[in-house]
Amino acid sequence: MTMEEGKFGVQEAVSLVATAISFKVFFTSPSLAADLVGNNIWYMTLISASTAILGFTFIYLLLRRFPDQDITAIFSETLGKPIGFICSAFLCLYLFYAASSSITEFTEVMRDYIYLLTPSSIIIGIFVVAVMTLCLLGLESIARLARFLIFPMLFGVLLVLVLGFKNFHINRLFPILGHGTLKTLTNGITRSSAYGEIVILAVVAPSLQGIAFVKKAGYTSLILSGLFISMLLLTFALTYPYYVAREITSLMYGMATLIDYGRFLQRVEPLFLFVWFLSPLIGISGVFYCFISVYCKMFKISDSRPIVVGSSIVLFAVCLFQSDLGAIASATIQSIRNFGWIPAFALPILALVIGGLRKKGTKYHV
Amino acid sequence: MCKRILSAIVIIALFSAVLGGCQDANEIDAVVRVLVIGIDKGVTDKWRLTVQFSSMKETPGGGGGEEGGSTGGGTGNGYSHVTIDAPSFFEGIDMLGSSISRKLFFTHAGTIIISERLAREGILGDFIAPLIRYKQIRESAQLYVVKGEAMDFIVENQPTIGNTLSKSLELAAKQPDNTGYTISVTLNDFYSALKSTHGQPIMAIAAVNDFKNFKRDGPRWKNEFKKGGEYKPEDLPRHGENKIEFWGTAVFNRDKMVDELTGGENRLLLMARNEFKRGFFTIRDPKSPDRIIAMDVLKDKNPKIKISFDEDGPVIDITIFLKGDILSIQSRIHYEEDPLLSTLVTALEKDIKDDLDRLINKCKNQGLDVFRFGESAAKYFATIEEWEKYYWNDKFKDAKINTKVDFSMRRTGTRLRSSPIPRLKGEE
């Protein structure tokens, strides 16, 4: 019994994964990174992206050994059913944790900037209903929506960056090494988990048309996300000095509010709001769908719809529990950045190594 | 199919009910949008908070000043203000709710006025922190130190041209681009500078001019020469309807105001900070010293700043690039072409350089890098730790600063050459 997840192409996969990776840059992550490494966040993320590309290479090698199989099935085959089940459960929990933390972070940041008086439960509730609807429609719909919206979203972000040009000061990039090369390197490598959503491809691999498509989608997503995030972080570093950047909840929103070209061009942040709402919706829906997918595959459930509804209620409840931005930013998001690489990259590497030792899978198959 | 349509209608209706009644929705006339925030040190409590807002009444037209009559507030030209002493900014807002029937909204507060007394006490950090954190106040709001009390400034702050106060204030904030006698400092600029290891903060000065410096009677002007920029805030010899003015700059050592710059010094500050756009300059005529030459001076290109370090401290070389047009030559001497053109250019360069040197020395002696030299100096350090250990703000006192002004005359205005007015025989 397998879940029917539909089929989609590389462009859809790239749009979905790149959005899931990139939307976090609009919230608290850049400030946390600025606190750790200083003004050189823009190239720290390139180190993270490079590490993630290396991590994805192992995921790709694993998927190549097991063509037409998803990560849950591969865990079972390489590590044995009990350990494979535990690894899948770990991945499943990570995906759920990532989705719930992102929703809470989104909600709290919204409350800080836009919906000052609206209760968290209403924002979370509406958001979860939207995520649930997308998950009920299925992976293919989420991917196709991502493809449909990626260019308008990109246009919105680029417009804010272009308009924010007036506030850029090149001298803010100096001292160029920030808090030091070692700190940048270690944090860059650890925070490769910021690109951990690449694991979506391992979960939905059978929906892509062959391993060559997975490879193309994976590398393209990581390279584009890396460049996009680096470009945004560079503009943040140019706009805010490092000692201020580390204090601001959403650097992107803050940057948008500073745009002022006289009476006729100011208060342009509504342009960015469009991106601020849609990118987390697509990204979190993709991650949450993967949680449902892994869960259903673990328990061999073919109809995911009841699970989607039930999980959405649990998601709503969990999001309500952690309604405190300080704790989310300093504990939850930070822990995902510090340890997210374990489920995203370490588990597939473990499966690849043990699968190799146990001579499981095909050597090469396209 | 029918079922699906029905479900869609139910969902849409449900969402309309929930979203339409959004908690953050406010009727446009159910809130009061504050335009100006005034902050003084209180008497009964820590904060003396004054807010100015539209009274949402039809403008009476003409005339300014207070019509409400109460000591705590007033109305004039369609704008009201109210003042309260409170323990904190936020409690002050709630306390004001006792006399204002609507909720105060600060999303349109584009101007924040801080009294000089408060700025000079060195506790401004306590007052800025809540403003920067508050969700409703935009970091692009303009910040001014006011000579005297912020409350008094707000009483006088009425639109003299047109009926829109917000437009008047927004246009006033753009005046540095036209004259250079004042500077635009936003809440974000000041807060960043306050926390900076690269230099010291500054703020534009606002004042209420009671026109006492305007002398109706007395000996009339002879041939004395005083540059316009030499006046201090609130001392401009002017008279008219609008009492408020924006002139000069307050210089801070961290969160304590320690000095102030005149309008003329402000222009030089803008030049060094790469914020100068243009301004009319007057210099003494090199060939006829009892007369003046007026020029329209514009920024030519970004200043070139080169920094090196020797045992005694940093060595800063700055070159300012300007261009300009001749506006008037009172003596009618033919300065439009060489060799006199070079004489004129050299005179202007020397004039600006001498004033800039004086300003730099004035700030340097107090250890106040308000010129953004520190931002350029940070390039020469590899890590933030190395930079912060250098303590730029302390080292700036020992800096050797070499200035150069490079001026190019571009146009001569609507006259290609000057020629003397013919005199009658025997006339001088």
Side-chain angles (χ1 to χ4, degrees):
Chain A
M1 264 195 307
T2 53
M3 277 175 70
E4 187 54 54
E5 292 183 322
K7 291 276 181 193
F8 49 86
V10 174
Q11 284 191 21
E12 285 79 7
V14 169
S15 305
L16 174 62
V17 176
T19 309
I21 290 171
S22 306
F23 81 85
K24 293 167 287 181
V25 80
F26 302 141
F27 300 103
T28 59
S29 295
S31 311
L32 300 175
D35 190 37
L36 292 170
V37 298
N39 52 354
N40 56 347
I41 40 175
W42 61 279
Y43 67 82
M44 183 210 73
T45 200
L46 292 176
I47 298 171
S48 304
S50 308
T51 313
I53 287 172
L54 185 69
F56 175 72
T57 304
F58 291 109
I59 295 177
Y60 162 67
L61 291 175
L62 181 69
L63 293 172
R64 199 174 65 168
R65 285 181 80 100
F66 300 91
D68 302 325
Q69 288 196 52
D70 61 82
I71 194 84
T72 318
I74 298 172
F75 280 156
S76 282
E77 199 163 333
T78 53
L79 305 171
K81 279 194 177 164
I83 299 176
F85 184 86
I86 292 168
C87 287
S88 297
F90 190 40
L91 178 64
C92 192
L93 277 176
Y94 161 70
L95 292 167
F96 184 82
Y97 190 54
S100 67
S101 306
S102 297
I103 292 179
T104 318
E105 190 188 19
F106 167 81
T107 307
E108 293 307 310
V109 176
M110 280 293 150
R111 287 205 60 187
D112 267 349
Y113 287 100
I114 316 289
Y115 299 123
L116 309 180
L117 305 172
T118 306
S120 300
S121 53
I122 289 189
I123 302 172
I124 293 173
I126 292 167
F127 199 87
V128 169
V129 167
V131 169
M132 186 181 78
T133 310
L134 280 175
C135 289
L136 283 171
L137 291 170
L139 179 66
E140 192 178 331
S141 304
I142 301 172
R144 292 196 188 283
L145 181 68
R147 170 70 184 80
F148 176 67
L149 291 174
I150 193 129
F151 286 108
M153 289 193 296
L154 207 56
F155 175 75
V157 174
L158 291 178
L159 194 61
V160 172
L161 297 193
V162 170
L163 292 174
F165 181 79
K166 206 174 87 169
N167 298 314
F168 295 171
H169 289 279
I170 191 83
N171 287 339
R172 288 184 179 145
L173 298 182
F174 301 99
I176 195 75
L177 297 179
H179 284 305
T181 317
L182 187 66
K183 258 191 176 174
T184 309
L185 206 61
T186 47
N187 281 297
I189 292 170
T190 316
R191 293 177 74 86
S192 60
S193 46
Y195 296 82
E197 282 77 4
I198 194 70
V199 81
I200 289 175
L201 288 179
V203 177
V204 303
S207 291
L208 284 155
Q209 285 133 21
I211 191 69
F213 281 74
V214 175
K215 182 185 174 186
K216 199 173 170 187
Y219 287 121
T220 312
S221 309
L222 285 171
I223 291 167
L224 290 180
S225 309
L227 292 175
F228 177 73
I229 293 173
S230 176
M231 181 181 70
L232 278 179
L233 295 181
L234 179 67
T235 59
F236 298 160
L238 286 166
T239 307
Y240 290 102
Y242 64 90
Y243 39 83
V244 175
R246 67 185 180 195
E247 293 181 355
I248 295 173
T249 307
S250 169
L251 287 165
M252 184 74 191
Y253 192 84
M255 199 172 87
T257 60
L258 290 180
I259 294 168
D260 186 347
Y261 286 88
R263 283 182 61 78
F264 293 103
L265 193 58
Q266 52 171 278
R267 298 172 187 268
V268 296
E269 54 271 22
L271 277 175
F272 169 61
L273 281 185
F274 169 72
V275 184
W276 226 26
F277 290 136
L278 288 178
S279 60
L281 176 65
I282 292 166
I284 293 169
S285 298
V287 173
F288 189 64
Y289 182 87
C290 287
F291 155 73
I292 305 278
S293 175
V294 173
Y295 185 87
C296 288
K297 284 163 190 166
M298 276 166 63
F299 293 100
K300 302 200 186 314
I301 300 165
S302 58
D303 185 7
S304 64
R305 277 178 301 178
I307 306 296
V308 171
V309 177
S311 303
S312 300
I313 294 166
V314 177
L315 181 69
F316 174 71
V318 170
C319 291
L320 278 183
F321 281 142
Q322 37 177 343
S323 295
D324 165 15
L325 185 62
I328 295 158
S330 62
T332 316
I333 301 297
Q334 200 67 328
S335 66
I336 290 178
R337 295 291 171 275
N338 288 338
F339 303 108
W341 58 273
I342 299 174
F345 303 119
L347 289 183
I349 292 172
L350 183 75
L352 180 68
V353 172
I354 295 180
L357 291 174
R358 295 179 67 193
K359 297 189 181 358
K360 296 277 184 184
T362 55
K363 275 277 178 196
Y364 183 74
H365 182 86
V366 178
Chain B
M1 185 66 184
C2 195
K3 217 174 170 182
R4 279 191 178 182
I5 293 169
L6 202 65
S7 308
I9 291 169
V10 169
I11 289 169
I12 291 166
L14 198 70
F15 269 73
S16 320
V18 176
L19 299 178
C22 178
Q23 309 271 330
D24 283 282
N26 284 294
E27 291 298 327
I28 199 146
D29 61 348
V31 292
V32 168
R33 298 194 187 272
V34 173
L35 298 173
V36 184
I37 303 169
I39 300 167
D40 293 297
K41 201 171 178 196
V43 174
T44 326
D45 222 323
K46 185 174 179 178
W47 288 68
R48 172 159 292 174
L49 177 67
T50 306
V51 290
Q52 188 174 24
F53 45 84
S54 166
S55 56
M56 293 191 263
K57 291 174 186 163
E58 278 192 31
T59 53
E66 197 170 318
E67 290 179 4
S70 94
T71 50
T75 316
N77 267 356
Y79 294 95
S80 298
H81 57 85
V82 61
T83 303
I84 195 161
D85 278 9
S88 71
F89 174 73
F90 302 105
E91 205 156 350
I93 296 170
D94 278 354
M95 286 162 76
L96 283 173
S98 63
S99 62
I100 300 170
S101 57
R102 290 167 170 84
K103 195 170 180 172
L104 288 174
F105 252 54
F106 290 82
T107 47
H108 287 252
T111 308
I112 300 168
I113 308 287
I114 292 161
S115 75
E116 186 185 3
R117 188 206 304 253
L118 178 64
R120 285 199 184 268
E121 273 196 38
I123 51 168
L124 195 53
D126 296 0
F127 289 79
I128 290 292
L131 300 180
I132 200 91
R133 187 181 282 267
Y134 191 37
K135 299 162 183 178
Q136 290 186 11
I137 295 177
R138 296 175 73 81
E139 289 183 29
S140 56
Q142 293 290 321
L143 218 51
Y144 298 96
V145 164
V146 67
K147 305 288 283 179
E149 299 291 312
M151 189 176 86
D152 298 335
F153 179 88
I154 287 176
V155 170
E156 296 296 342
N157 185 31
Q158 301 293 339
T160 37
I161 302 168
N163 293 322
T164 323
L165 182 62
S166 58
K167 185 169 185 174
S168 297
L169 292 169
E170 280 182 31
L171 291 175
K174 297 288 171 202
Q175 278 295 70
D177 294 350
N178 300 325
T179 68
Y181 282 135
T182 179
I183 192 165
S184 166
V185 177
T186 63
L187 186 56
N188 174 60
D189 294 335
F190 185 78
Y191 184 72
S192 298
L194 199 60
K195 308 206 84 187
S196 172
T197 50
H198 302 78
Q200 298 286 3
I202 51 171
M203 212 186 278
I205 297 180
V208 177
N209 190 331
D210 57 9
F211 310 137
K212 67 175 186 299
N213 221 23
F214 179 82
K215 297 181 180 81
R216 276 187 182 279
D217 304 309
R220 297 286 159 160
W221 177 81
K222 288 180 184 150
N223 281 334
E224 312 87 48
F225 168 61
K226 191 173 181 182
K227 288 181 192 170
E230 284 177 28
Y231 293 99
K232 289 194 161 185
E234 77 184 338
D235 285 344
L236 261 71
R238 68 182 184 93
H239 191 270
E241 206 171 271
N242 184 21
K243 283 190 170 181
I244 64 160
E245 63 193 22
F246 303 97
W247 184 268
T249 310
V251 179
F252 287 75
N253 187 343
R254 297 275 70 96
D255 59 350
K256 183 176 183 175
M257 180 179 163
V258 289
D259 206 347
E260 61 183 60
L261 308 183
T262 62
E265 287 173 326
N266 187 71
R267 284 177 161 183
L268 303 160
L269 176 73
L270 291 177
M271 286 177 193
R273 287 168 63 94
N274 192 21
E275 291 172 17
F276 179 76
K277 295 271 168 63
R278 62 164 299 282
F280 294 151
F281 278 65
T282 310
I283 60 161
R284 200 177 286 278
D285 190 324
K287 297 283 175 194
S288 174
D290 58 338
R291 292 205 167 89
I292 56 110
I293 297 175
M295 274 181 278
D296 186 5
V297 176
L298 298 100
K299 172 185 152 182
D300 193 9
K301 52 186 176 182
N302 294 346
K304 200 164 104 186
I305 299 171
K306 201 179 144 203
I307 297 179
S308 57
F309 298 87
D310 66 16
E311 286 168 4
D312 302 327
V315 180
I316 302 165
D317 296 296
I318 175 169
T319 310
I320 309 272
F321 297 95
L322 301 167
K323 62 183 177 184
D325 311 338
I326 296 172
L327 291 175
S328 88
I329 303 169
Q330 284 183 347
S331 63
R332 309 193 66 82
I333 296 170
H334 181 41
Y335 278 110
E336 289 87 347
E337 280 173 328
D338 270 334
L340 285 182
L341 179 62
S342 303
T343 312
L344 179 62
V345 166
T346 310
L348 181 71
E349 283 176 349
K350 186 178 178 310
D351 198 62
I352 294 175
K353 182 187 155 44
D354 290 348
D355 287 347
L356 183 62
D357 285 342
R358 258 194 300 278
L359 172 66
I360 287 176
N361 282 328
K362 175 180 168 179
C363 295
K364 200 181 78 155
N365 292 339
Q366 300 177 79
L368 304 170
D369 176 12
V370 289
F371 305 97
R372 289 192 168 153
F373 292 142
E375 289 178 17
S376 302
K379 276 183 204 164
Y380 301 90
F381 294 80
T383 65
I384 291 170
E385 280 70 18
E386 281 175 31
W387 164 251
E388 288 183 350
K389 271 184 201 156
Y390 186 74
Y391 293 108
W392 174 262
N393 285 327
D394 292 343
K395 294 285 194 310
F396 183 66
K397 256 184 191 165
D398 307 319
K400 276 182 231 151
I401 304 172
N402 307 309
T403 57
K404 192 181 165 198
V405 178
D406 188 322
F407 180 82
S408 340
M409 189 66 78
R410 298 283 191 213
R411 279 166 291 270
T412 57
T414 56
R415 293 291 180 272
L416 281 174
R417 56 185 301 118
S418 302
S419 54
I421 299 169
R423 301 287 176 191
L424 295 172
K425 195 177 175 185
E427 214 178 33
E428 273 191 28

